[in-house]
Amino acid sequence: ALGRFTDGPPPQTLCAGRTDAGVHGLMQVVHFDTAIVRSEISWVRGTNTFLPSDIAVQWAAEVPDAFHARASALARRYTYVLLESPVRPSVDAGRVGWTFRPLDGDALRQGATHLIGEHDFTSFRASACQALSPVKHLTRIDISRRGAYWRFDFEASAFLHHMIRNIMGCLLQ
């Protein structure tokens, strides 16, 4: 999209992180260098013209030369939404996890407390994970419920490939 908008080769981009297949990325920060001068709103609207309908640039800003989308990130957040229902999701299919078994919120929260802090999360990473270190600092896990929907909010220094999926499987078990 950037290449089409700038009518040239696409600039090299660097993202703050990656998302697993089937995961919806929100507030992803991407940076690139270019000599082209455009207004910030022009970068937003122009790039969005060439993106598919399920992806949209929300804002653009010039950043200092020392800025690095991945290395400058202070934290990362991940939200997992789970439907507790005897029947699989329909309208939310592909957008929420699902369990047909009743959940115990107190037990989930108690289990989650053991994951807070700096730990070696090797047991929760995918075999294809390319992270240089499995040691991550998980600073927060908030678990809340609204009706049949559970929300799990995680905040960490970084996440490993499939880390949250695997943590969720263990918490639910």
Side-chain angles (χ1 to χ4, degrees):
L2 286 169
R4 289 179 68 194
F5 175 59
T6 60
D7 196 28
Q12 291 285 339
T13 58
L14 187 82
C15 300
R18 296 181 295 219
T19 58
D20 295 340
V23 174
H24 303 281
L26 302 174
M27 298 171 42
Q28 177 69 272
V29 175
V30 178
H31 86 258
F32 61 91
D33 296 318
T34 183
I36 297 172
V37 177
R38 302 255 168 92
S39 69
E40 293 170 358
I41 195 63
S42 179
W43 282 107
V44 172
R45 290 184 177 156
T47 304
N48 283 339
T49 299
F50 300 105
L51 287 170
S53 62
D54 62 339
I55 300 172
V57 174
Q58 300 296 311
W59 57 270
E62 190 170 333
V63 295
D65 289 340
F67 180 82
H68 185 281
R70 184 169 293 156
S72 298
L74 302 177
R76 289 156 174 86
R77 288 179 287 180
Y78 198 116
T79 297
Y80 193 99
V81 179
L82 184 71
L83 173 66
E84 179 188 318
S85 170
V87 179
R88 66 176 169 76
S90 56
V91 174
D92 288 330
R95 296 176 40 192
V96 299
W98 171 56
T99 182
F100 59 86
R101 293 187 176 98
L103 299 178
D104 179 340
D106 291 334
L108 289 167
R109 287 180 197 91
Q110 183 180 3
T113 63
H114 299 284
L115 300 169
I116 300 296
E118 187 173 82
H119 302 287
D120 181 334
F121 285 97
T122 295
S123 298
F124 296 102
R125 76 193 292 186
S127 60
C129 183
Q130 298 173 358
L132 298 177
S133 171
V135 176
K136 303 298 173 199
H137 191 135
L138 195 53
T139 55
R140 180 175 68 92
I141 303 176
D142 291 331
I143 301 171
S144 59
R145 181 177 185 172
R146 178 176 274 173
Y149 292 89
W150 290 83
R151 181 180 169 126
F152 298 78
D153 290 299
F154 299 85
E155 185 170 310
S157 57
F159 296 104
L160 301 168
H161 187 195
H162 286 181
M163 178 176 161
I164 297 302
R165 288 180 188 203
N166 293 329
I167 286 175
M168 286 300 303
C170 288
L171 285 174
L172 294 176
Q173 190 62 36

